[in-house]
Amino acid sequence: MPYPEAAWERAMTVQEVLLKAISGEVHWFRAAEILGWSPRTLRRWRERYEAHGSSGLIDKRLLRPSKRRATPAQLEQVLRLFRERYAGFNVRHFHQIVQREHGVTVSYSFVKQALQAAGLVKKHRARGRHRRRREPRACFGEMLHLDGSVHEWFTGMDVRPCLIAVSDDATKRVLHAALYPSESTWAVMTSLAAVLHTAGLPMALYTDRAHWAFHTPKAKGSVDKTHLTQVGRALAHLGIEHIPSYSPQARGRSERLNRTFQDRLANELRVAAITTLEAANRYLADQFAIPRAPSCPWAPRISTGSCVTKNRAWWRATTPSAWTAASCRLRRSLVVERAPA
C-alpha cells in the first residue's frame, strides 16, 4: 500500500526546511516556527532524518488501518438501504433515518462520500448567501412564524392537503406542525390553540396576508388593520401583535422550513405507507423528528380550563356584535398564569 501523495509533499517540505537549518541558512528556532513545531519536536524529526533519510520523514501511521474505519458490511448496508428503501432522500436526512431506524453508526461524512462514489447522489457546490438575512429576535417567544404549505404530501395521490407549521424566530424551533384539508380559519385556530397551551402567549405572530389573516382592500396593497379577521380579533384580544409580510423573501424562515418539510416529511410518509391525514398527524407527533421548544420562564401560559378547549365557539364570531359576546365569554374563561419568580 503506497503512501499518499500529500504525505510525500509534506515530507519534502520538512526535508527542505531541515537542510536549510543544518546548513545554517535559518536558525533552528526559525525552522520550528516555519513547520509549526516545538524545538523539541524538530530535534526528534532531525534525528529521524539523520537515521533513515527521506523515508524517515513519512508518518508511518498512514499505512496503519484506522480502528474506526467502516467495515465492508457497513458500507454494503448503507448502499443497500438507500437503493431499496430510501431513494430520493437527501444525504443528511438519510443519515438521520438510518441511525434512528437501523442502528447505523458510521459518520455523516462517510455516508455522503460512499453515496457520491456509488453515483447515488450528485455532488453540489455549497451555495453562498445571496443577501443579508434579518437578525432574529433575541428571546424565545418574542415572535412566532405561522405559514401553510399546500403540497403533494402523499405520493401518487391527487389530494394536496395543507401543512401548517408554527416556529419560533429566535430559536428556529418548530412548536407545532400538522396536516389539514385546507388552510382555513379553523385549521389556523387549532394550530394556534396547540401552541398557546404548550408554549404560552407570544409577543407577536408573523404571517402572510392570506384571507384568514388580513383584509387587503387592494390587491398587492397594504392590509386594513381596522377591518380584522377572526384570527386578527382573537390575537388582538390576547394582546398578540399580528405582523403581515409583503413578499416571500420577507418570510424566508417560513419558506425554508416549508421546503424542509416538503423534502423530508413527504419521503417519510411514502416509506411508512401513510395515506391519511389522521395517520400522518400521528406520525408527525410521535416519530417525525421535530425539534421541540424549551420551556420559557417568562411566557404566560393559558390554563387547561381556558376558552381554547372549553369555549370552541369563540373563533366562530363573524360579526362585531357576535364577537363582542364571544369576547365576554373568552374574558371570563381565560386565565393567564405567570411563572413563579
Side-chain angles (χ1 to χ4, degrees), residues 159-189:
V159 295
R160 293 173 61 88
C162 178
L163 175 80
I164 294 182
V166 184
S167 61
D168 178 62
D169 186 74
T171 61
K172 310 299 185 296
R173 294 181 180 270
V174 180
L175 307 182
H176 175 77
L179 287 167
Y180 300 92
S182 62
E183 189 177 353
S184 61
T185 301
W186 174 83
V188 173
M189 287 294 194

Side-chain angles (χ1 to χ4, degrees), residues 295-310:
S295 58
C296 185
W298 58 84
R301 294 182 178 274
I302 297 180
S303 67
T304 306
S306 69
C307 65
V308 180
T309 55
K310 295 178 62 177

